[in-house]
Amino acid sequence: MSERRHEIAFTVNGRRVEAVVPARMTLADLLRDRLRLTGTHVACGQGLCGSCNVLLGGRSARSCLTLAVQADGQEVTTIEGLGGDDGPSEVQAAFVRHRALQCGFCTPGFVVLAEELLAEVDAGLRPAPEQVRDRLAASVCRCTGYAPIVAAVQELVDERVARGTR
Ligand code: FES
Ligand code: FES
C-alpha cells in the first residue's frame, strides 16, 4: 500500500512554499532534497546532535525529527535565511570574530540556537552564563571545542542586554 501524501503550505525564509509530501517525510528531507536548502545539515538523524536545527515558528526544532507536515501553516527559517547578500548576520559575524568554527558542519545548528536565544533576550530574558552554555549544549560540535562558540554567543547576549537596559 502506498504511503499517504499531504498537501502543505508554509513560509521558508520569507518565501511561500507549497508541496505534496509523504506522511513520514522529515522536514530536513523536504528542505534539503526538494527545496535545495542544504545549509541544514543532517548528521545523527536521531535528534541528538542539533546539526539540523531550524527555526519553526521562531523556536528551534530538530528538522530530522520534525515531520514535513508539521511545518504546514508555519514559518520556517533556515541558515540560508539568516544573513545573505548584504553580508553575514550578527550571529554569523560573531562566530567568525571568535573563530567559533572549524569544519563548519555544526555551525548552522548553533547559529539557529543563538538566534532563538537572542530573540528571547530581546523579549526580556536575562540568562546567566550557565544558562547560555546550557542552551548551546543542545548542539554538538566535534572539532572546534565549545569555548569560542559560547564566547561568541555570550558577547551578543551581553550586547543585547546592555542595549535593552540603556
Ligand atoms: S541530525 Fe538532527 S539532531 Fe542530529
Ligand atoms: S566546527 Fe566542525 S563539527 Fe563543529
Side-chain angles (χ1 to χ4, degrees):
M1 201 170 71
S2 64
E3 191 179 355
R4 227 177 124 196
R5 299 173 83 79
H6 299 268
E7 282 179 34
I8 61 170
F10 63 105
T11 304
V12 61
N13 302 332
R15 180 168 65 100
R16 183 177 158 82
V17 171
E18 293 177 7
V20 178
V21 296
R24 282 178 291 183
M25 175 181 247
T26 65
L27 180 57
D29 285 347
L30 174 61
L31 292 171
R32 289 178 52 82
D33 300 343
R34 293 250 196 113
L35 303 178
R36 312 308 297 165
L37 294 169
T38 54
T40 296
H41 295 157
V42 175
C44 69
Q46 298 177 24
L48 301 173
C49 73
S51 305
C52 64
N53 289 339
V54 298
L55 292 170
L56 181 65
R59 305 292 308 182
S60 65
R62 307 287 213 218
S63 63
C64 73
L65 291 186
T66 305
L67 293 173
V69 291
Q70 291 175 275
D72 190 31
Q74 300 258 30
E75 209 166 297
V76 176
T77 304
T78 68
I79 192 68
E80 288 88 349
L82 302 166
D85 295 341
D86 298 340
S89 69
E90 210 180 342
V91 174
Q92 290 163 344
F95 271 58
V96 171
R97 236 180 4 260
H98 285 266
R99 296 191 168 86
L101 64 154
Q102 283 186 35
C103 75
F105 192 88
C106 67
T107 308
F110 276 107
V111 169
V112 163
L113 290 180
E115 292 286 353
E116 179 187 39
L117 179 60
L118 291 173
E120 291 176 31
V121 171
D122 288 343
L125 181 76
R126 296 293 176 260
E130 316 81 78
Q131 291 172 304
V132 172
R133 277 199 300 277
D134 279 354
R135 293 290 289 269
L136 295 172
S139 269
V140 172
C141 174
R142 295 186 66 173
C143 59
T144 205
Y146 295 95
I149 297 172
V150 172
V153 178
Q154 185 67 59
E155 179 187 86
L156 294 174
V157 167
D158 292 344
E159 277 175 16
R160 298 280 181 110
V161 170
R163 248 186 256 165
T165 52
R166 241 172 244 157

